[in-house]
Amino acid sequence: MIKHLLFDIDDTLFPSTEFAELARKNALRAMVEVGINIELHELERTLEKVIKEKNSNYPKHFDEVCRIHKIKKPARYIAAAVAAYHNTKMSILPYPEIPRMLLTLRENGYKLYTATNGNAIKQWDKLIRLGIALYFEDVFVSDEVGEEKSVIFFKDVLKKLKAIPEECVMIGDREDSDIIPAKKIGMYAIRVRRGKYAKGKTCADANVRDFSNILEIIKSLENK
Ligand SMILES: [Mg+2]
C-alpha cells in the first residue's frame, strides 16, 4: 500500500525555470533603467555566456556582465540587477493546481514530503514563499542527508520514514536524480514532464504533464 509521496520542488511544484528566466530578464531591465549604456539584447547575450561559463549558481553573474562590458563604476548597475532579481524570486508561485492537489492527497491519507537537491534553508524558503510548507511532514534535502538524490539518498529517506520502498512514490521532473535512483531501490516513480528536462526517455511508472489526475494515477500504481 502506498503511504508516502515524495515531491521534487524545482519544475515539479513550481515553474523554477520560468521564474529564473524572468528574474534574469528583470535584472537586466533594471540595469538599463538605472542608465547602463548597453542595449538589453546585448546584455542578455552576455549574461547567457556568463551563465554557461560559470553555471547558474555562481553568485556574481551581474558583476561579470559589467566586467565584460568594461563598466567603470558598476556598483549602481549590480545593485539594481540584484534587487530586481530578488524581487522576482520573492514573487514565485506554485503551478496553479498544486495547493488543491496537496490538500486532496492529504485528505486521502497520504503523507507528503519533499526530496530535493540543494541547500536546506533555500529549499524551505521556496516552500514558505510558495505558501505550501504546511502540507509537508518533512523535507529531505541533499545537504542534510550528505548525498545528492541517489540510491544512498533514497535509502536514507526510507530509513527515516521507517518505510519499505513499495510504500513510497517519488514524483519529479528529472530522470537522472528523481526517477532512476528511486526505481533502483524499488520505489514507484512518476515523471513530471515540465521545465527544461521535460523531454527524454523514462523508466518511471507513469508520466504527467500536470497533476490533475494524480490521485487516480497513484491508486492505479497500487493495483499494478
Ligand atoms: Mg526538479
Side-chain angles (χ1 to χ4, degrees):
M1 215 179 99
I2 292 171
K3 295 178 185 165
H4 307 287
L5 307 178
L6 299 151
F7 287 89
D8 171 54
I9 298 177
D10 290 13
D11 284 331
T12 295
L13 297 176
F14 84 106
S16 70
T17 303
E18 243 173 77
F19 270 106
E21 277 165 16
L22 182 65
R24 286 182 197 128
K25 190 156 233 178
N26 288 344
L28 298 180
R29 279 193 193 127
M31 286 173 123
V32 173
E33 249 173 53
V34 294
I36 204 167
N37 211 6
I38 300 158
E39 280 183 41
L40 185 60
H41 74 269
E42 217 175 305
L43 290 171
E44 282 175 350
R45 237 184 305 157
T46 309
L47 180 59
E48 224 170 276
K49 243 187 269 165
V50 171
I51 290 166
K52 250 186 212 148
E53 275 165 29
K54 307 271 181 187
N55 98 45
S56 60
N57 285 325
Y58 177 71
K60 298 203 161 183
H61 287 145
F62 305 114
D63 304 53
E64 191 63 16
V65 169
C66 287
R67 197 189 59 74
I68 290 170
H69 286 287
K70 300 193 171 67
I71 303 297
K72 289 242 167 64
K73 292 179 78 181
R76 161 204 306 229
Y77 311 112
I78 295 167
V82 170
Y85 186 84
H86 285 292
N87 286 343
T88 312
K89 284 221 140 173
M90 270 171 31
S91 65
I92 56 173
L93 290 167
Y95 285 114
E97 79 280 16
I98 294 292
R100 205 155 46 96
M101 166 195 80
L102 296 173
L103 189 62
T104 305
L105 293 173
R106 277 187 69 116
E107 280 171 350
N108 277 270
Y110 295 105
K111 293 224 186 303
L112 312 181
Y113 309 85
T114 62
T116 163
N117 284 341
N119 169 277
I121 295 173
K122 273 195 182 170
Q123 299 304 322
W124 271 110
D125 178 71
K126 286 179 197 167
L127 294 177
I128 290 162
R129 287 185 197 286
L130 291 168
I132 54 177
L134 293 174
Y135 289 108
F136 296 98
E137 308 283 326
D138 206 350
V139 168
F140 301 106
V141 188
S142 61
D143 82 337
E144 287 181 341
V145 176
E147 178 84 27
E148 298 254 297
K149 276 186 274 186
S150 59
V151 166
I152 297 171
F153 175 97
F154 286 111
K155 278 189 177 162
D156 194 79
V157 169
L158 286 179
K159 218 190 265 172
K160 286 185 178 132
L161 295 179
K162 298 191 176 72
I164 54 168
E166 295 77 18
E167 292 172 333
C168 303
V169 186
M170 176 64 208
I171 300 154
D173 65 306
R174 285 191 64 163
E175 187 68 13
D176 55 349
S177 53
D178 296 320
I179 307 303
I180 292 173
K183 286 298 296 173
K184 262 194 189 150
I185 65 163
M187 289 164 70
Y188 294 106
I190 299 175
R191 174 89 178 263
V192 182
R193 301 292 190 170
R194 274 174 158 167
K196 61 184 164 192
Y197 300 104
K199 297 212 168 83
K201 275 194 205 159
T202 186
C203 61
D205 300 286
N207 289 277
V208 295
R209 276 173 204 264
D210 60 55
F211 290 104
S212 44
N213 294 321
I214 193 75
L215 187 60
E216 290 76 8
I217 291 169
I218 290 165
K219 295 211 170 201
S220 75
L221 292 180
E222 291 181 315
N223 301 325
K224 248 187 170 180

